[in-house]
Amino acid sequence: MSDLENLVQEAAGDDEAAARRLIARGAAALPAVFDVLARASWFSPVGLLPHVVRRIHQGDAVPLLLEHIDAEQRDLHTSCLAALGRSRDERALRPLRDLLSDQDALTTTRAHAAAALGDLGFAEAVKPLGKALSEAAAEDPEVEEWPILVVATATALAKLGDQSGFSALTGLLDVPFAPTRARATGGFRLFVGSAVLAALGRCADDEDPEVREQAIDPLFLMGTPDCLDLLVAHLGDSDESVASRIAIRVRDCLGTDAEDLEAAWQDLRPGFAAGVCHRLGRPIRFLDLVDLLAAGDRPEVVTELRTITGLDVDELIEDNRIDEIRQQVAALALPDGALVKWGRIMKS
């Protein structure tokens, strides 16, 4: 067995060091990884191999990834789709667009293609995403698969600066199936505005704790006084995990360890300007989030920064490239306190 084959087997067994070595080899490692994934059954251990594929998306990997976007093996085709989205390579645009538009493809496959198009970042994807969204939103939301495509296309459009999918997400809040409402609620994290706040207020009062919990981070990410009013009002949620999560996010915004968060908010609120995003008790400073990353004080800041900037923060932090994250965030030149989604400054 070759050294490369050994690394693939070790990564399939969840060996992180082997996975890092495969990622470092780049496109040269992909054929061996693809071979193992293609032969894997639903019960075969594939470990970190899908992660390896998602991390290898340089230009020379794109043709190899494109060969497997319609592979029958689930982990193989989904990881290839995700990698193509991260590639930012125009060669991926048409194949992903065609897969999204293929009504004979599995709904979940089309949803993965939609997500990849959102990450890919080309405006040419807006029209096919909008068409797929309209078709999916017209279907019966009681059919479990269709809401997956609605949320995927709506959020992909939002990444491309088009917030027209908001109404389709709100339409899912009437579905009796709670996981569908929760999925739609989580999608609001890429949207801003008074209508979003109103929808999240409804979600925060949902009978299902999963839906209520999904409402927390979209409110936190906006971080405006109105959002904090809503979070503080729900500190006493009947579900312990939801209440705990709300308290964590309120503290993140207020920058306080106070036990009585309601009292702390009453004291601090006069200094919080309307329509301004807050973190650590002041209008958000985006490089402060990088400092939190560097200090390791708040692991979830990785997802927060990616949602705000659209940068591959998760990959850079995995490689301990903090300085690059700092440089890339600084290059965006985002003003303090701005409401930002996927690198775009939004109006409140």
Side-chain angles (χ1 to χ4, degrees), residues 34-307:
F34 288 161
D35 183 59
V36 172
L37 284 175
R39 290 186 284 106
S41 65
W42 67 271
F43 55 83
S44 300
V46 295
L48 295 172
L49 294 183
H51 174 71
V52 170
V53 175
R54 290 193 296 271
R55 284 293 314 274
I56 300 176
H57 46 66
Q58 300 84 356
D60 57 349
V62 169
L64 297 173
L65 295 166
L66 286 171
E67 292 177 5
H68 296 279
I69 62 172
D70 55 358
E72 291 186 8
Q73 209 281 337
R74 182 189 62 185
D75 291 311
L76 177 53
H77 86 79
T78 56
S79 57
C80 285
L81 289 172
L84 287 166
R86 297 279 184 132
S87 74
R88 315 297 206 274
D89 193 304
E90 192 171 9
R91 289 174 293 177
L93 177 60
R94 181 182 291 276
L96 289 174
R97 192 172 56 194
D98 290 346
L99 186 55
L100 170 70
S101 302
D102 183 1
Q103 296 193 11
D104 291 328
L106 292 173
T107 303
T108 50
T109 297
R110 296 177 68 195
H112 285 298
L117 284 166
D119 290 341
L120 195 64
F122 291 98
E124 291 87 343
V126 168
K127 186 174 180 179
L129 282 167
K131 185 174 185 295
L133 172 61
S134 296
E135 293 168 352
E139 295 290 333
D140 182 0
E142 297 288 345
V143 179
E144 185 177 350
E145 285 188 341
W146 282 105
I148 295 173
L149 185 55
V150 172
V151 177
T153 49
T155 52
L157 283 166
K159 290 178 180 180
L160 297 172
D162 183 330
Q163 301 239 320
S164 63
F166 172 72
S167 61
L169 291 182
T170 58
L172 295 178
L173 300 182
D174 293 319
V175 176
F177 189 55
T180 291
R181 300 198 305 277
R183 184 184 293 274
T185 302
F188 289 135
R189 69 187 58 224
L190 285 163
F191 295 80
V192 302
S194 58
V196 180
L197 180 61
L200 288 169
R202 178 181 172 188
C203 299
D205 289 327
D206 194 276
E207 64 182 17
D208 190 275
E210 182 184 1
V211 179
R212 301 198 302 274
E213 186 163 13
Q214 284 297 314
I216 298 169
D217 275 8
L219 288 165
F220 157 75
L221 286 165
M222 282 196 282
T224 63
D226 287 345
C227 290
L228 282 161
D229 284 338
L230 189 54
L231 286 171
V232 170
H234 288 80
L235 281 166
D237 191 279
S238 60
D239 185 276
E240 184 177 345
S241 64
V242 174
S244 175
R245 179 70 175 169
I246 292 172
I248 289 170
R249 285 318 202 184
V250 170
R251 288 192 173 94
D252 288 339
C253 288
L254 301 189
T256 180
D257 291 325
E259 189 70 25
D260 189 342
L261 289 174
E262 290 186 40
W265 176 230
Q266 288 177 6
D267 291 340
L268 292 170
R269 197 189 194 290
F272 279 54
V276 172
C277 180
H278 291 81
R279 292 292 185 278
L280 305 175
R282 56 177 176 253
I284 189 170
R285 300 174 185 172
F286 299 96
L287 289 176
D288 284 350
L289 301 184
V290 183
D291 291 338
L292 289 174
L293 268 184
D297 289 344
R298 205 172 82 201
E300 287 181 302
V301 78
V302 173
T303 301
E304 181 182 355
L305 258 178
R306 177 154 171 80
T307 303

Side-chain angles (χ1 to χ4, degrees), residues 321-335:
R321 292 153 67 183
I322 292 288
D323 288 342
E324 288 185 46
I325 297 174
R326 191 180 306 279
Q327 291 165 9
Q328 291 184 26
V329 172
L332 293 174
L334 301 171

